[in-house]
mmCIF file of all heavy atoms in Angstrom:
data_model
loop_
_atom_site.group_PDB
_atom_site.id
_atom_site.type_symbol
_atom_site.label_atom_id
_atom_site.label_comp_id
_atom_site.label_asym_id
_atom_site.label_seq_id
_atom_site.Cartn_x
_atom_site.Cartn_y
_atom_site.Cartn_z
ATOM 1 N N ALA A 1 160.897 85.672 96.788
ATOM 2 C CA ALA A 1 162.292 85.739 97.220
ATOM 3 C C ALA A 1 163.020 84.412 97.045
ATOM 4 O O ALA A 1 164.182 84.294 97.444
ATOM 5 C CB ALA A 1 162.371 86.187 98.677
ATOM 6 N N ASP A 2 162.375 83.417 96.442
ATOM 7 C CA ASP A 2 163.020 82.114 96.299
ATOM 8 C C ASP A 2 164.358 82.211 95.560
ATOM 9 O O ASP A 2 165.350 81.593 95.967
ATOM 10 C CB ASP A 2 162.113 81.140 95.543
ATOM 11 C CG ASP A 2 161.043 80.513 96.427
ATOM 12 O OD1 ASP A 2 161.027 80.781 97.645
ATOM 13 O OD2 ASP A 2 160.220 79.745 95.881
ATOM 14 N N TYR A 3 164.389 82.959 94.466
ATOM 15 C CA TYR A 3 165.611 83.009 93.651
ATOM 16 C C TYR A 3 166.775 83.625 94.422
ATOM 17 O O TYR A 3 167.844 82.997 94.544
ATOM 18 C CB TYR A 3 165.339 83.743 92.341
ATOM 19 C CG TYR A 3 166.502 83.740 91.386
ATOM 20 C CD1 TYR A 3 167.087 82.545 90.984
ATOM 21 C CD2 TYR A 3 167.007 84.932 90.865
ATOM 22 C CE1 TYR A 3 168.152 82.538 90.097
ATOM 23 C CE2 TYR A 3 168.066 84.928 89.980
ATOM 24 C CZ TYR A 3 168.647 83.731 89.598
ATOM 25 O OH TYR A 3 169.704 83.726 88.719
ATOM 26 N N PRO A 4 166.640 84.835 94.970
ATOM 27 C CA PRO A 4 167.773 85.375 95.738
ATOM 28 C C PRO A 4 168.083 84.570 96.996
ATOM 29 O O PRO A 4 169.248 84.429 97.380
ATOM 30 C CB PRO A 4 167.336 86.803 96.070
ATOM 31 C CG PRO A 4 165.862 86.822 95.895
ATOM 32 C CD PRO A 4 165.557 85.831 94.829
ATOM 33 N N ASN A 5 167.066 84.030 97.637
ATOM 34 C CA ASN A 5 167.326 83.239 98.840
ATOM 35 C C ASN A 5 168.019 81.921 98.504
ATOM 36 O O ASN A 5 168.862 81.444 99.274
ATOM 37 C CB ASN A 5 166.030 82.985 99.595
ATOM 38 C CG ASN A 5 165.572 84.208 100.378
ATOM 39 O OD1 ASN A 5 166.333 85.153 100.573
ATOM 40 N ND2 ASN A 5 164.337 84.194 100.830
ATOM 41 N N ARG A 6 167.678 81.351 97.368
ATOM 42 C CA ARG A 6 168.374 80.123 96.951
ATOM 43 C C ARG A 6 169.855 80.424 96.711
ATOM 44 O O ARG A 6 170.732 79.606 97.037
ATOM 45 C CB ARG A 6 167.707 79.558 95.699
ATOM 46 C CG ARG A 6 168.259 78.213 95.269
ATOM 47 C CD ARG A 6 167.418 77.598 94.158
ATOM 48 N NE ARG A 6 166.126 77.144 94.674
ATOM 49 C CZ ARG A 6 164.968 77.659 94.317
ATOM 50 N NH1 ARG A 6 164.912 78.680 93.473
ATOM 51 N NH2 ARG A 6 163.838 77.192 94.824
ATOM 52 N N HIS A 7 170.139 81.579 96.161
ATOM 53 C CA HIS A 7 171.534 81.969 95.924
ATOM 54 C C HIS A 7 172.269 82.133 97.255
ATOM 55 O O HIS A 7 173.432 81.725 97.389
ATOM 56 C CB HIS A 7 171.589 83.265 95.118
ATOM 57 C CG HIS A 7 172.957 83.630 94.661
ATOM 58 N ND1 HIS A 7 173.661 82.893 93.736
ATOM 59 C CD2 HIS A 7 173.784 84.651 95.023
ATOM 60 C CE1 HIS A 7 174.850 83.447 93.528
ATOM 61 N NE2 HIS A 7 174.945 84.507 94.297
ATOM 62 N N ILE A 8 171.604 82.719 98.244
ATOM 63 C CA ILE A 8 172.211 82.857 99.570
ATOM 64 C C ILE A 8 172.474 81.489 100.185
ATOM 65 O O ILE A 8 173.551 81.234 100.749
ATOM 66 C CB ILE A 8 171.308 83.718 100.479
ATOM 67 C CG1 ILE A 8 171.365 85.184 100.043
ATOM 68 C CG2 ILE A 8 171.707 83.582 101.942
ATOM 69 C CD1 ILE A 8 170.391 86.081 100.756
ATOM 70 N N ALA A 9 171.508 80.590 100.065
ATOM 71 C CA ALA A 9 171.689 79.240 100.615
ATOM 72 C C ALA A 9 172.857 78.534 99.940
ATOM 73 O O ALA A 9 173.648 77.836 100.600
ATOM 74 C CB ALA A 9 170.408 78.438 100.451
ATOM 75 N N LYS A 10 172.988 78.724 98.631
ATOM 76 C CA LYS A 10 174.027 78.022 97.875
ATOM 77 C C LYS A 10 175.403 78.608 98.116
ATOM 78 O O LYS A 10 176.387 77.870 98.283
ATOM 79 C CB LYS A 10 173.687 78.077 96.382
ATOM 80 C CG LYS A 10 174.628 77.266 95.500
ATOM 81 C CD LYS A 10 174.156 77.276 94.062
ATOM 82 C CE LYS A 10 175.089 76.456 93.175
ATOM 83 N NZ LYS A 10 174.631 76.442 91.764
ATOM 84 N N THR A 11 175.528 79.945 98.144
ATOM 85 C CA THR A 11 176.847 80.569 98.217
ATOM 86 C C THR A 11 177.330 80.807 99.639
ATOM 87 O O THR A 11 178.534 80.760 99.900
ATOM 88 C CB THR A 11 176.852 81.909 97.458
ATOM 89 O OG1 THR A 11 175.884 82.797 98.039
ATOM 90 C CG2 THR A 11 176.526 81.696 95.986
ATOM 91 N N ILE A 12 176.402 81.061 100.553
ATOM 92 C CA ILE A 12 176.778 81.352 101.943
ATOM 93 C C ILE A 12 176.620 80.119 102.813
ATOM 94 O O ILE A 12 177.285 79.977 103.835
ATOM 95 C CB ILE A 12 175.931 82.523 102.492
ATOM 96 C CG1 ILE A 12 176.214 83.806 101.692
ATOM 97 C CG2 ILE A 12 176.195 82.752 103.977
ATOM 98 C CD1 ILE A 12 175.329 84.968 102.078
ATOM 99 N N GLY A 13 175.740 79.215 102.414
ATOM 100 C CA GLY A 13 175.484 78.042 103.223
ATOM 101 C C GLY A 13 174.506 78.282 104.346
ATOM 102 O O GLY A 13 174.489 77.547 105.334
ATOM 103 N N ALA A 14 173.684 79.311 104.202
ATOM 104 C CA ALA A 14 172.690 79.627 105.231
ATOM 105 C C ALA A 14 171.345 79.006 104.870
ATOM 106 O O ALA A 14 170.965 78.945 103.697
ATOM 107 C CB ALA A 14 172.529 81.132 105.381
ATOM 108 N N ILE A 15 170.627 78.553 105.883
ATOM 109 C CA ILE A 15 169.213 78.217 105.708
ATOM 110 C C ILE A 15 168.447 79.530 105.593
ATOM 111 O O ILE A 15 168.626 80.429 106.421
ATOM 112 C CB ILE A 15 168.692 77.413 106.902
ATOM 113 C CG1 ILE A 15 169.322 76.022 106.938
ATOM 114 C CG2 ILE A 15 167.175 77.293 106.875
ATOM 115 C CD1 ILE A 15 168.985 75.236 108.168
ATOM 116 N N THR A 16 167.623 79.662 104.568
ATOM 117 C CA THR A 16 166.823 80.872 104.439
ATOM 118 C C THR A 16 165.376 80.564 104.808
ATOM 119 O O THR A 16 164.826 79.534 104.414
ATOM 120 C CB THR A 16 166.880 81.461 103.022
ATOM 121 O OG1 THR A 16 166.244 80.574 102.095
ATOM 122 C CG2 THR A 16 168.328 81.687 102.597
ATOM 123 N N VAL A 17 164.801 81.454 105.579
ATOM 124 C CA VAL A 17 163.402 81.350 105.998
ATOM 125 C C VAL A 17 162.721 82.655 105.610
ATOM 126 O O VAL A 17 163.089 83.725 106.104
ATOM 127 C CB VAL A 17 163.272 81.112 107.513
ATOM 128 C CG1 VAL A 17 161.803 81.013 107.917
ATOM 129 C CG2 VAL A 17 164.040 79.860 107.944
ATOM 130 N N SER A 18 161.763 82.579 104.700
ATOM 131 C CA SER A 18 161.048 83.779 104.252
ATOM 132 C C SER A 18 159.593 83.673 104.695
ATOM 133 O O SER A 18 158.965 82.626 104.555
ATOM 134 C CB SER A 18 161.130 83.919 102.732
ATOM 135 O OG SER A 18 160.681 85.195 102.314
ATOM 136 N N VAL A 19 159.071 84.780 105.215
ATOM 137 C CA VAL A 19 157.784 84.763 105.904
ATOM 138 C C VAL A 19 156.658 85.261 104.990
ATOM 139 O O VAL A 19 156.750 86.335 104.404
ATOM 140 C CB VAL A 19 157.839 85.643 107.181
ATOM 141 C CG1 VAL A 19 156.501 85.603 107.922
ATOM 142 C CG2 VAL A 19 158.977 85.182 108.092
ATOM 143 N N ASP A 20 155.592 84.468 104.902
ATOM 144 C CA ASP A 20 154.376 84.889 104.191
ATOM 145 C C ASP A 20 153.433 85.560 105.182
ATOM 146 O O ASP A 20 152.404 84.991 105.568
ATOM 147 C CB ASP A 20 153.692 83.681 103.542
ATOM 148 C CG ASP A 20 153.868 83.650 102.038
ATOM 149 O OD1 ASP A 20 153.926 84.731 101.421
ATOM 150 O OD2 ASP A 20 153.961 82.543 101.484
ATOM 151 N N TYR A 21 153.799 86.757 105.590
ATOM 152 C CA TYR A 21 153.006 87.472 106.577
ATOM 153 C C TYR A 21 151.675 87.951 105.978
ATOM 154 O O TYR A 21 151.518 88.081 104.758
ATOM 155 C CB TYR A 21 153.793 88.656 107.142
ATOM 156 C CG TYR A 21 154.351 89.623 106.107
ATOM 157 C CD1 TYR A 21 153.563 90.626 105.552
ATOM 158 C CD2 TYR A 21 155.685 89.539 105.698
ATOM 159 C CE1 TYR A 21 154.063 91.517 104.627
ATOM 160 C CE2 TYR A 21 156.203 90.426 104.772
ATOM 161 C CZ TYR A 21 155.394 91.407 104.234
ATOM 162 O OH TYR A 21 155.897 92.279 103.305
ATOM 163 N N ARG A 22 150.714 88.211 106.847
ATOM 164 C CA ARG A 22 149.395 88.679 106.402
ATOM 165 C C ARG A 22 149.496 90.078 105.795
ATOM 166 O O ARG A 22 150.317 90.888 106.233
ATOM 167 C CB ARG A 22 148.419 88.679 107.579
ATOM 168 C CG ARG A 22 148.003 87.292 108.046
ATOM 169 C CD ARG A 22 147.245 87.364 109.357
ATOM 170 N NE ARG A 22 148.129 87.744 110.463
ATOM 171 C CZ ARG A 22 147.708 88.048 111.690
ATOM 172 N NH1 ARG A 22 146.402 88.059 111.965
ATOM 173 N NH2 ARG A 22 148.577 88.361 112.632
ATOM 174 N N LEU A 23 148.654 90.327 104.798
ATOM 175 C CA LEU A 23 148.721 91.572 104.049
ATOM 176 C C LEU A 23 147.524 92.474 104.333
ATOM 177 O O LEU A 23 146.411 92.000 104.591
ATOM 178 C CB LEU A 23 148.775 91.275 102.546
ATOM 179 C CG LEU A 23 149.979 90.441 102.059
ATOM 180 C CD1 LEU A 23 149.818 90.126 100.574
ATOM 181 C CD2 LEU A 23 151.295 91.168 102.313
ATOM 182 N N ALA A 24 147.756 93.783 104.259
ATOM 183 C CA ALA A 24 146.701 94.782 104.300
ATOM 184 C C ALA A 24 146.059 94.863 102.901
ATOM 185 O O ALA A 24 146.680 94.465 101.912
ATOM 186 C CB ALA A 24 147.295 96.122 104.722
ATOM 187 N N PRO A 25 144.847 95.385 102.790
ATOM 188 C CA PRO A 25 144.026 95.973 103.857
ATOM 189 C C PRO A 25 143.239 94.968 104.688
ATOM 190 O O PRO A 25 142.673 95.331 105.709
ATOM 191 C CB PRO A 25 143.082 96.889 103.081
ATOM 192 C CG PRO A 25 142.920 96.206 101.759
ATOM 193 C CD PRO A 25 144.244 95.594 101.448
ATOM 194 N N ALA A 26 143.207 93.705 104.253
ATOM 195 C CA ALA A 26 142.450 92.719 105.036
ATOM 196 C C ALA A 26 143.027 92.568 106.440
ATOM 197 O O ALA A 26 142.295 92.326 107.400
ATOM 198 C CB ALA A 26 142.452 91.374 104.314
ATOM 199 N N HIS A 27 144.339 92.743 106.539
ATOM 200 C CA HIS A 27 145.014 92.577 107.826
ATOM 201 C C HIS A 27 145.947 93.769 108.054
ATOM 202 O O HIS A 27 147.138 93.695 107.754
ATOM 203 C CB HIS A 27 145.811 91.276 107.848
ATOM 204 C CG HIS A 27 144.992 90.054 107.561
ATOM 205 N ND1 HIS A 27 144.147 89.494 108.490
ATOM 206 C CD2 HIS A 27 144.880 89.306 106.434
ATOM 207 C CE1 HIS A 27 143.553 88.440 107.965
ATOM 208 N NE2 HIS A 27 143.970 88.309 106.721
ATOM 209 N N PRO A 28 145.416 94.885 108.564
ATOM 210 C CA PRO A 28 146.266 96.059 108.776
ATOM 211 C C PRO A 28 147.247 95.858 109.926
ATOM 212 O O PRO A 28 147.207 94.842 110.633
ATOM 213 C CB PRO A 28 145.253 97.167 109.091
ATOM 214 C CG PRO A 28 144.065 96.446 109.648
ATOM 215 C CD PRO A 28 144.014 95.124 108.928
ATOM 216 N N PHE A 29 148.146 96.826 110.084
ATOM 217 C CA PHE A 29 149.109 96.798 111.182
ATOM 218 C C PHE A 29 148.377 96.601 112.511
ATOM 219 O O PHE A 29 147.323 97.192 112.714
ATOM 220 C CB PHE A 29 149.866 98.143 111.210
ATOM 221 C CG PHE A 29 150.891 98.256 112.298
ATOM 222 C CD1 PHE A 29 152.168 97.755 112.123
ATOM 223 C CD2 PHE A 29 150.578 98.871 113.500
ATOM 224 C CE1 PHE A 29 153.114 97.858 113.121
ATOM 225 C CE2 PHE A 29 151.518 98.975 114.512
ATOM 226 C CZ PHE A 29 152.793 98.465 114.315
ATOM 227 N N PRO A 30 148.885 95.723 113.387
ATOM 228 C CA PRO A 30 150.229 95.130 113.408
ATOM 229 C C PRO A 30 150.309 93.698 112.909
ATOM 230 O O PRO A 30 151.233 92.964 113.293
ATOM 231 C CB PRO A 30 150.565 95.189 114.892
ATOM 232 C CG PRO A 30 149.254 94.910 115.570
ATOM 233 C CD PRO A 30 148.210 95.580 114.698
ATOM 234 N N ALA A 31 149.386 93.252 112.038
ATOM 235 C CA ALA A 31 149.346 91.841 111.650
ATOM 236 C C ALA A 31 150.663 91.377 111.034
ATOM 237 O O ALA A 31 151.210 90.336 111.426
ATOM 238 C CB ALA A 31 148.192 91.609 110.675
ATOM 239 N N ALA A 32 151.188 92.116 110.056
ATOM 240 C CA ALA A 32 152.425 91.703 109.388
ATOM 241 C C ALA A 32 153.587 91.651 110.377
ATOM 242 O O ALA A 32 154.359 90.694 110.407
ATOM 243 C CB ALA A 32 152.746 92.659 108.247
ATOM 244 N N ARG A 33 153.697 92.689 111.187
ATOM 245 C CA ARG A 33 154.780 92.722 112.179
ATOM 246 C C ARG A 33 154.669 91.546 113.134
ATOM 247 O O ARG A 33 155.675 90.904 113.459
ATOM 248 C CB ARG A 33 154.743 94.035 112.960
ATOM 249 C CG ARG A 33 155.860 94.174 113.990
ATOM 250 C CD ARG A 33 155.521 95.198 115.049
ATOM 251 N NE ARG A 33 154.362 94.768 115.858
ATOM 252 C CZ ARG A 33 153.833 95.520 116.826
ATOM 253 N NH1 ARG A 33 154.325 96.714 117.085
ATOM 254 N NH2 ARG A 33 152.792 95.069 117.514
ATOM 255 N N ASP A 34 153.470 91.258 113.594
ATOM 256 C CA ASP A 34 153.298 90.189 114.570
ATOM 257 C C ASP A 34 153.627 88.823 113.976
ATOM 258 O O ASP A 34 154.206 87.966 114.657
ATOM 259 C CB ASP A 34 151.871 90.211 115.115
ATOM 260 C CG ASP A 34 151.609 91.420 116.005
ATOM 261 O OD1 ASP A 34 152.574 92.137 116.341
ATOM 262 O OD2 ASP A 34 150.431 91.643 116.355
ATOM 263 N N ASP A 35 153.266 88.600 112.709
ATOM 264 C CA ASP A 35 153.626 87.339 112.056
ATOM 265 C C ASP A 35 155.144 87.190 111.966
ATOM 266 O O ASP A 35 155.697 86.108 112.244
ATOM 267 C CB ASP A 35 153.025 87.274 110.654
ATOM 268 C CG ASP A 35 151.524 87.051 110.667
ATOM 269 O OD1 ASP A 35 150.962 86.763 111.744
ATOM 270 O OD2 ASP A 35 150.910 87.167 109.588
ATOM 271 N N CYS A 36 155.816 88.260 111.573
ATOM 272 C CA CYS A 36 157.279 88.213 111.437
ATOM 273 C C CYS A 36 157.942 88.015 112.798
ATOM 274 O O CYS A 36 158.914 87.253 112.928
ATOM 275 C CB CYS A 36 157.774 89.492 110.776
ATOM 276 S SG CYS A 36 157.260 89.676 109.045
ATOM 277 N N PHE A 37 157.410 88.661 113.819
ATOM 278 C CA PHE A 37 157.951 88.492 115.176
ATOM 279 C C PHE A 37 157.766 87.051 115.646
ATOM 280 O O PHE A 37 158.674 86.474 116.268
ATOM 281 C CB PHE A 37 157.263 89.450 116.145
ATOM 282 C CG PHE A 37 157.615 89.197 117.588
ATOM 283 C CD1 PHE A 37 158.814 89.651 118.110
ATOM 284 C CD2 PHE A 37 156.740 88.508 118.416
ATOM 285 C CE1 PHE A 37 159.149 89.404 119.443
ATOM 286 C CE2 PHE A 37 157.063 88.255 119.742
ATOM 287 C CZ PHE A 37 158.273 88.708 120.259
ATOM 288 N N THR A 38 156.605 86.472 115.377
ATOM 289 C CA THR A 38 156.334 85.093 115.797
ATOM 290 C C THR A 38 157.386 84.138 115.236
ATOM 291 O O THR A 38 157.908 83.272 115.953
ATOM 292 C CB THR A 38 154.932 84.662 115.332
ATOM 293 O OG1 THR A 38 153.953 85.441 116.024
ATOM 294 C CG2 THR A 38 154.677 83.191 115.610
ATOM 295 N N VAL A 39 157.716 84.303 113.955
ATOM 296 C CA VAL A 39 158.709 83.421 113.335
ATOM 297 C C VAL A 39 160.100 83.693 113.905
ATOM 298 O O VAL A 39 160.858 82.756 114.198
ATOM 299 C CB VAL A 39 158.690 83.585 111.811
ATOM 300 C CG1 VAL A 39 159.800 82.754 111.159
ATOM 301 C CG2 VAL A 39 157.330 83.180 111.247
ATOM 302 N N ALA A 40 160.455 84.968 114.072
ATOM 303 C CA ALA A 40 161.772 85.302 114.623
ATOM 304 C C ALA A 40 161.945 84.725 116.020
ATOM 305 O O ALA A 40 162.990 84.136 116.356
ATOM 306 C CB ALA A 40 161.959 86.816 114.649
ATOM 307 N N ARG A 41 160.931 84.882 116.855
ATOM 308 C CA ARG A 41 161.002 84.369 118.223
ATOM 309 C C ARG A 41 161.149 82.847 118.222
ATOM 310 O O ARG A 41 161.934 82.284 118.997
ATOM 311 C CB ARG A 41 159.730 84.780 118.957
ATOM 312 C CG ARG A 41 159.591 84.345 120.391
ATOM 313 C CD ARG A 41 160.469 85.128 121.328
ATOM 314 N NE ARG A 41 161.698 84.433 121.645
ATOM 315 C CZ ARG A 41 162.588 84.853 122.523
ATOM 316 N NH1 ARG A 41 162.391 85.992 123.164
ATOM 317 N NH2 ARG A 41 163.684 84.174 122.753
#
C-alpha cells in the first residue's frame, strides 16, 4: 500500500499508517483483527 498511501500523504496531508498484521493459516482469526485493534487503540 506504499504507493496509494504515499499519494494520500502528498495530496491530503495525512500521515498514513499501514499495519503488517499476522496472516493465516499460521495465525488464524482473531490474530489479524487483534493486531489491527492494537495499532488503532
Side-chain angles (χ1 to χ4, degrees):
D2 279 357
Y3 185 55
N5 283 346
R6 186 171 288 115
H7 188 67
I8 288 173
K10 185 175 180 179
T11 60
I12 297 174
I15 291 173
T16 67
V17 180
S18 192
V19 181
D20 254 327
Y21 54 82
R22 289 170 290 171
L23 299 175
H27 303 284
F29 180 84
R33 182 201 65 183
D34 290 351
D35 287 350
C36 293
F37 171 79
T38 294
V39 175
R41 180 74 262 186

